[in-house]
Amino acid sequence: MKKIFSLLLAGVATLAFAGCSGVLHDYGDAPNPTLGAVAGGFNGWTNTGAWTTADDSTHTYTLSFTASAEEIEWKALAVSGNWNGGAYGGTSDTVTEIEADGTAVELTYDNGTGGYKNAKLAKLTTGSGYKLTVYSEVGKVYAKLEEVTTPLSLIDDRTFYVQGMFNSWSAGALTESAESTADNNIYTYTFTAVADDTSNTNNSFGLATTGWTTKYTGATLAVGGDYIQLEKGADTNNSITGWTAGSSYTITFKTDKNSNVYAKVSAD
């Protein structure tokens, strides 16, 4: 009887160990797949690298960039600014390669202590634009890479609006220009100044999606000046100088294949 009881205890202990959720069992399992930053050869390996678009609700993140080499290593960080907060990339002994054919490749989670390998974007054409998409499904994280052949659209995939003091911060619709090319999309928005810019009443605006989820801001535009690049996600709005109350002006926006947005203001 004692022998049977001992065998039963040993069996229970074995089952308990097999079901253990300790570090040894969980190492390599993915936690919450919210990705705070992206780091790699395309941004100087900063651990606070911002995504071009980030949607935490769907766990989908994209990065648009121009290839500076034929191969670029990278990893997605769970926590912005923290190398040890967990990352997605290669396995413990293999660099995970991703080519620009749109094929989804699963990334491996490194909990920050294992020294896992990076992921690598392979067979790139130097100087060409690419879009990296990282997303999760059923707790697993995948990445796919595509070569960008068209410039950023401000009205198709996501609709951007001009929202500023001169239109009471309403959603001003963009007009696509016939001057758009294969390399650049051109959009315009026309408004009438309702106060002199020295009053600081109507010289502030943003180019943003509904709810300001994605915005291009942070630039100072002078009437009659050249294109100025807008900053994605900047805290300060764009401002315009040099206008006259009652006069009509047009803001022209230009986008490129790397999701950059530029703007200039001209008098009508």
Side-chain angles (χ1 to χ4, degrees):
M1 177 64 72
K2 289 183 178 180
K3 183 176 182 180
I4 294 174
F5 184 69
S6 297
L7 290 173
L8 287 173
L9 287 177
V12 171
T14 300
L15 289 173
F17 181 79
C20 175
S21 59
V23 174
L24 289 176
H25 179 75
D26 283 348
Y27 188 80
D29 290 346
N32 184 350
T34 297
L35 304 178
V38 59
F42 35 60
N43 62 10
W45 282 101
T46 173
N47 63 3
T48 58
W51 299 97
T52 302
T53 66
D55 189 339
D56 290 338
S57 64
T58 62
H59 303 296
T60 302
Y61 308 84
T62 69
L63 178 73
S64 297
F65 66 96
T66 299
S68 57
E70 294 181 355
E71 294 183 343
I72 298 176
E73 293 197 11
W74 67 285
K75 61 177 57 179
L77 304 181
V79 181
S80 179
N82 187 353
W83 290 113
N84 299 318
Y88 293 87
T91 68
S92 59
D93 56 6
T94 304
V95 172
T96 297
E97 291 196 1
I98 304 166
E99 297 182 14
D101 57 7
T103 300
V105 177
E106 185 177 353
L107 302 179
T108 303
Y109 177 66
D110 178 1
N111 66 5
T113 62
Y116 278 26
K117 301 292 185 179
N118 298 321
K120 180 168 67 176
L121 307 178
K123 298 182 180 179
L124 305 175
T125 300
T126 303
S128 293
Y130 293 88
K131 178 182 178 182
L132 172 66
T133 302
V134 182
Y135 64 96
S136 65
E137 287 183 353
V138 197
K140 295 183 178 181
V141 176
Y142 301 88
K144 64 179 181 179
L145 181 67
E146 300 164 290
E147 186 171 2
V148 177
T149 58
T150 58
L152 173 68
S153 172
L154 297 179
I155 60 176
D156 292 333
D157 299 331
R158 295 166 298 159
T159 301
F160 286 80
Y161 300 96
V162 178
Q163 305 174 63
M165 291 182 176
F166 42 68
N167 64 7
S168 300
W169 299 100
S170 61
L174 294 168
T175 299
E176 186 167 8
S177 171
E179 296 180 3
S180 293
T181 67
D183 295 320
N184 303 104
N185 281 329
I186 306 294
Y187 306 89
T188 61
Y189 179 79
T190 299
F191 67 95
T192 299
V194 295
D196 189 78
D197 68 322
T198 58
S199 68
N200 198 32
T201 299
N202 64 341
N203 67 345
S204 179
F205 76 95
L207 177 68
T209 55
T210 301
W212 293 72
T213 304
T214 303
K215 62 182 179 180
Y216 288 90
T217 45
T220 298
L221 309 174
V223 173
D226 292 331
Y227 279 111
I228 300 293
Q229 184 172 354
L230 308 186
E231 182 180 346
K232 182 178 179 294
D235 291 332
T236 56
N237 289 319
N238 303 303
S239 62
I240 305 172
T241 61
W243 57 16
T244 302
S247 296
S248 179
Y249 299 90
T250 295
I251 307 173
T252 302
F253 298 95
K254 179 175 69 174
T255 69
D256 62 22
K257 294 179 181 180
N258 297 317
S259 295
N260 295 316
V261 179
Y262 306 83
K264 66 179 181 179
V265 182
S266 58
D268 294 341

